[in-house]
């Protein structure tokens, strides 16, 4: 992306702020007068770094908030360059404007959280710092295969994953019992899913539930169904979306709506919210992620549920999507080197304290799979995956997973439109897939950023 | 010294003092509008000539952002959504709020309560409004589904069906805005001289004739304001963005992807700030033209027939 120096570069940030105009720097996105001013500090060695996140310090001061606060306090105790947390509510962080406006005006945070879907946008924007020099080989080797690669370009690591979040199908034992079904009826294939869901659908309940609101999350939850038939959105640098695998996956989601066994609009926060849907009895089966285990543990303690791997098409193979956010440092921040060091320390330390910090995050305050082998061993030793849903996630589901693709918005959007059209508007899957493939191809022809897959 | 300085002030005419006071009272608004509306508008117009990547980099591209629009199917689809929304929402909101104003125009016992009840939705944040309606409309378990279940419509998903979602928004927006517009109409009705109505009544005009030949013509400025205001609100206002953002994010299958939501996506999902700015200028231009046409057709809402 060509950088044209703005005529206003000589204006310092302070002059502008003194002029009383600072307030709208934040509101009026894309204002050239003000935007170019913040980058002046880049590569500096400031003594304080900002860390924007959607966990802490939050108002509820729950365990996840506490983990962030404690981790930063621990770092600040032993380091000259301090880290200061800024909490941004999840909804605003994910779909809002705070992060984007900050980066546009050169006021981006020094450290922040990033999802795979946003990785390339920020990498191609030139704001991600290479963490390599801060990360010892020993730490790199500790990560499970594929995880660092998904956040690397040309062998350089730009983000450290804090967790692995696989998807599975949750089911309500009560709903199965009430419908006179047993464990033997748990669906293994797509056809069985619809057949069983028909039996489970009633006056107040849908048999099965997938995400219905458009967005990155919906795409994330849909990819495994495409992978199960060995499909992908991009293969060898070209669009491969108009494949039978993608078409049948689009059709499957549409069929659940057509057969009236799945809702068109979910409760609460949608597909990721198991407590509001499965937990309330509104759905008997629900596709969701491993984070829901701790949600159920804290908010629906007595609710009896189980998980199964995502059902597959006839002749397909098991697959799931491994989500997970990463810590990244802003290369144009106030002190990128120190930011990289903080990230390597917080998530990558291989000493006993570092492993324990990771174990706490992944298996105590939150339920994820730890991205590092040593942390998995430590968690195993404490019996974290000894039984129940987590055991299944580790032994059966995670091994079939692929890291969430890092599609830029131009690839994500046509896929999202195809999913929405087939799921909720009875569009022809073959046609929708072909349309999306064409749009992706058009984009790829002029794309000049880092490799997408 | 002090005396000579104070003198001209004391010598200021009453008219000048009044003018000075007027300027002083207008200044905060003018300055606020200038800083928060006028300057950003001019800057947005400028940004529209650049390719902006969202990371502080600008590249001058001339009219390229405007040229992109012709081939942008989704822009046209979102303009269509907004157009349908405007032509359904504006008349319905007009009729409903006007009817409410006529209903609560005359004093009766408990009038305060009734008026407040109609106005109440308007004081709630639209995000909260969205969440409340989500509960009411949720599939199978919402209050509305329960009511409709006996007639076999318990399965209808008002926010999840592409053909119903936009209509649902119209209903929610009317419910939200009717109280405010009712107040505007009430204020307008207060300005209709009672003597004129009385005179018409003595001349033998029935209630419909009094309405048609006295109230309605005198209300033209108010009606004009309501139509212009609700049109602008329907295109760019809170209900076109906040509600959609909270409830459906433009779904299902883009059925509620209004043009403002599309601009937001371009700016904050795609980081195409320049294109988003260009789209904004086009939407503003469309609104200016529409408002101009309305002014033309109604001669500015003037109520004297000459």
């Amino acid at each position: 992306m060509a950088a044209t120096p703005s005529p206003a570069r000589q204006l310092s940030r302070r002059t502008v702020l003194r002029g009383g105009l600072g307030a709208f720097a934040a509101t009026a996105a894309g204002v050239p007068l003000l935007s170019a001013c913040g980058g002046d500090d880049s590569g500096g060695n400031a003594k304080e770094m900002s860390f924007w996140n959607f966990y802490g310090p939050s108002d509820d001061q729950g365990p996840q908030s506490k983990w962030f606060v404690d981790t930063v306090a621990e770092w600040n105790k032993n380091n000259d360059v301090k880290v200061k947390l800024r909490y941004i509510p999840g909804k605003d962080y994910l779909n809002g404007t705070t992060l984007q406006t900050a980066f546009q005006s050169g006021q981006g945070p020094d450290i922040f959280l990033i999802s795979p879907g946003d990785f390339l946008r920020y990498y191609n924007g030139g704001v991600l710092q290479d963490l390599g020099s801060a990360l010892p080989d020993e730490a790199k080797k500790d990560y499970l295969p594929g995880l660092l690669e998904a956040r690397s370009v040309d062998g350089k690591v730009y983000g450290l994953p804090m967790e692995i979040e696989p998807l599975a199908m949750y089911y309500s034992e009560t709903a199965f019992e009430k419908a006179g079904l047993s464990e033997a009826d748990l669906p293994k294939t797509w056809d069985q899913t619809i057949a069983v869901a028909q039996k489970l659908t009633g006056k107040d309940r849908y048999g099965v539930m997938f995400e219905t609101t458009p967005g990155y999350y919906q795409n994330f939850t849909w990819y495994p169904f495409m992978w199960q038939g060995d499909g992908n959105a991009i293969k060898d640098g070209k669009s491969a979306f108009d494949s039978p695998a993608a078409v049948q996956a689009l059709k499957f989601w549409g069929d659940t709506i057509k057969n009236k066994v799945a809702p068109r609009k979910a409760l609460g926060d949608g597909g990721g919210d198991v407590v509001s849907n499965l937990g309330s009895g509104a759905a008997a089966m629900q596709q969701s992620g491993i984070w829901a285990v701790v949600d159920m543990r804290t908010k629906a303690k007595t609710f009896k549920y189980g998980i199964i791997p995502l059902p597959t098409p006839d002749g397909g193979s098991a697959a799931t999507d491994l989500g997970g956010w990463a810590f990244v440092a802003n290369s144009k921040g106030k002190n990128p080197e120190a930011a990289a060091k903080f990230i390597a320390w917080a998530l990558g330390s291989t000493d006993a304290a570092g492993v324990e910090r990771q174990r706490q995050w992944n298996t105590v305050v939150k339920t994820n799979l730890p991205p590092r082998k040593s942390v998995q061993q430590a968690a195993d030793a404490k019996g974290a995956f000894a039984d129940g849903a987590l055991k299944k996630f580790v032994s059966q589901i995670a091994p079939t997973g692929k890291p969430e693709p890092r599609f830029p918005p131009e690839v994500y959007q046509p896929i999202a439109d195809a999913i929405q059209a087939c799921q909720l508007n009875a569009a022809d899957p073959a046609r929708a897939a072909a349309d999306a493939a064409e749009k992706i191809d058009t984009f790829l022809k002029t794309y000049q950023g880092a490799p997408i897959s | 010294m002090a005396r000579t300085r104070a003198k001209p002030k004391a010598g200021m005419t009453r008219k000048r003092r009044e003018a000075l006071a007027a300027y002083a009272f207008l200044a905060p608004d003018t300055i606020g509008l200038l800083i928060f509306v006028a300057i950003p508008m001019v800057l947005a117009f400028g940004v529209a000539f650049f390719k902006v990547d969202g990371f502080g980099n600008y590249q001058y591209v001339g009219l390229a952002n405007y040229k992109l629009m012709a081939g942008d199917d989704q822009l046209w689809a979102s303009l269509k959504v907004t157009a349908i929304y405007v032509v359904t929402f504006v008349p319905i909101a007009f009729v409903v709020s006007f009817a409410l104003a006529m209903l609560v125009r005359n004093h009766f016992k408990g009038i305060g309560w009734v008026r407040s009840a109609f106005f109440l939705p308007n004081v709630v944040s639209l995000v909260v409004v969205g969440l409340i309606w989500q509960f009411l409309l949720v599939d199978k378990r919402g209050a509305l589904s329960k009511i409709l279940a006996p007639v076999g419509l318990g399965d209808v998903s008002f926010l999840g069906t592409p053909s119903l979602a936009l209509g649902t928004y119209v209903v929610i927006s009317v419910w939200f805005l009717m109280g405010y517009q009712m107040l505007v109409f009430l204020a307008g009705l207060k300005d209709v001289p009672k003597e004129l109505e009385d005179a018409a009544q003595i001349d033998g005009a029935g209630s419909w004739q009094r309405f048609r030949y006295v109230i309605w013509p005198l209300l033209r400025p108010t009606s004009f304001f309501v139509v212009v205001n609700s049109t602008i609100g329907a295109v760019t206002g809170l209900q076109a963005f906040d509600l959609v953002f909270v409830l459906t994010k433009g779904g299902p299958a883009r059925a509620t992807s209004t043009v403002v939501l599309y601009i937001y996506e371009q700016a904050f999902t795609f980081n195409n700030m320049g294109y988003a700015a260009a789209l904004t200028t086009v939407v503003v231009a469309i609104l200016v033209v529409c408002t101009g046409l309305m002014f033309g057709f109604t001669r500015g809402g003037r109520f004297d027939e000459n």
Side-chain angles (χ1 to χ4, degrees), chain A residues 69-79 345 353 357:
Chain A
V69 172
D70 290 350
T71 300
V72 164
E74 179 69 22
W75 165 269
N76 287 348
K77 210 164 60 191
N78 303 315
N79 290 277
W345 169 83
R357 191 163 45 241

Side-chain angles (χ1 to χ4, degrees), chain A residues 333-384:
Chain A
K334 294 191 286 290
N335 195 334
E337 307 262 304
K341 273 188 197 134
F342 167 78
I343 293 172
W345 169 83
L347 300 179
S349 301
T350 46
D351 58 4
V355 172
E356 176 60 14
R357 191 163 45 241
Q358 274 290 288
R359 189 188 73 83
Q360 287 286 334
W361 177 256
N362 282 292
T363 61
V364 181
V365 302
K366 202 165 173 260
T367 44
N368 317 301
L369 296 187
R372 287 167 45 193
K373 294 167 208 158
S374 61
V375 181
Q376 283 204 344
Q377 281 158 12
D380 257 341
K382 296 260 183 190

Side-chain angles (χ1 to χ4, degrees), chain B residues 61 76 115 126 128 162 174 178 183 193 196 212 234 244 265:
Chain B
V61 291
W76 295 104
R115 284 181 185 172
L126 260 175
V128 177
V174 169
M178 63 186 187
L183 277 194
L196 281 183
R212 172 68 188 84
V244 175
E265 272 178 8

Side-chain angles (χ1 to χ4, degrees), chain A residues 1-4 6 9 21 23-24 28-33 35 95-97 100-101 103-104 121-122 125 127 201-206 213-214 216 260 263-268 280-282 332 409-410 412-413 417 420-421 424-425 439, chain B residues 35-36 39-40 43-44 46-47 50-60 73-74 131 134-135 137-141 146 154-155 157 159-163 245-254 264-265 267-273:
Chain A
M1 316 241 161
T4 313
S6 156
R9 269 214 194 270
L21 300 175
F24 82 80
V31 176
L33 258 178
S35 61
N95 293 308
T97 58
Q100 287 86 334
T101 5
F103 272 103
Q104 171 60 21
R121 179 152 68 119
Y122 284 86
V127 295
T201 301
K203 195 160 63 79
D204 273 343
R205 183 172 51 224
Y206 282 101
T213 306
Y216 273 98
K260 297 191 173 174
R264 287 172 167 271
K265 186 100 179 88
L267 286 160
S280 73
K332 293 181 177 165
E410 293 84 351
Y412 140 79
Q413 188 68 58
D417 286 334
Q420 283 280 310
L424 300 165
N425 210 14
K439 282 191 182 127
Chain B
I35 293 177
F36 293 107
I39 294 177
L43 291 177
V47 172
F50 289 85
K51 186 176 179 196
V52 186
D53 70 346
F55 296 96
N57 299 319
Y58 295 84
Q59 186 189 0
Y60 180 75
D73 301 343
Q74 260 158 19
L131 291 173
Q134 193 171 352
F135 278 118
L137 295 175
V138 75
D139 294 14
K140 275 192 196 233
R141 301 192 150 218
K146 294 282 175 209
D155 258 352
S157 175
L159 288 168
T161 311
S163 53
F245 198 69
V246 173
L247 282 177
T248 53
K249 299 250 165 18
R254 293 209 161 256
Y264 182 89
E265 272 178 8
F268 299 110
T269 306
F270 287 81
N271 274 13
N272 290 333
M273 305 265 181

Side-chain angles (χ1 to χ4, degrees), chain B residues 136-213:
Chain B
L136 291 175
L137 295 175
V138 75
D139 294 14
K140 275 192 196 233
R141 301 192 150 218
L144 202 60
S145 296
K146 294 282 175 209
I147 294 169
L148 293 176
V151 286
L153 294 173
D155 258 352
V156 176
S157 175
F158 290 91
L159 288 168
T161 311
S163 53
L164 296 177
L166 197 59
T168 308
Y169 276 115
V170 171
V171 173
I172 300 175
S173 328
V174 169
W175 172 83
F176 177 72
L177 271 167
M178 63 186 187
Y180 166 72
Q181 292 192 173
M182 174 194 77
L183 277 194
V184 176
F185 276 123
L186 272 179
L189 286 170
K190 277 235 160 24
D191 282 345
V192 174
K194 193 86 180 100
E195 304 84 61
L196 281 183
E197 266 191 86
D198 292 343
Q201 195 169 9
I202 290 164
D203 288 343
S207 56
W208 166 251
Q209 284 164 320
R210 286 203 303 279
F211 169 76
R212 172 68 188 84
Y213 297 105

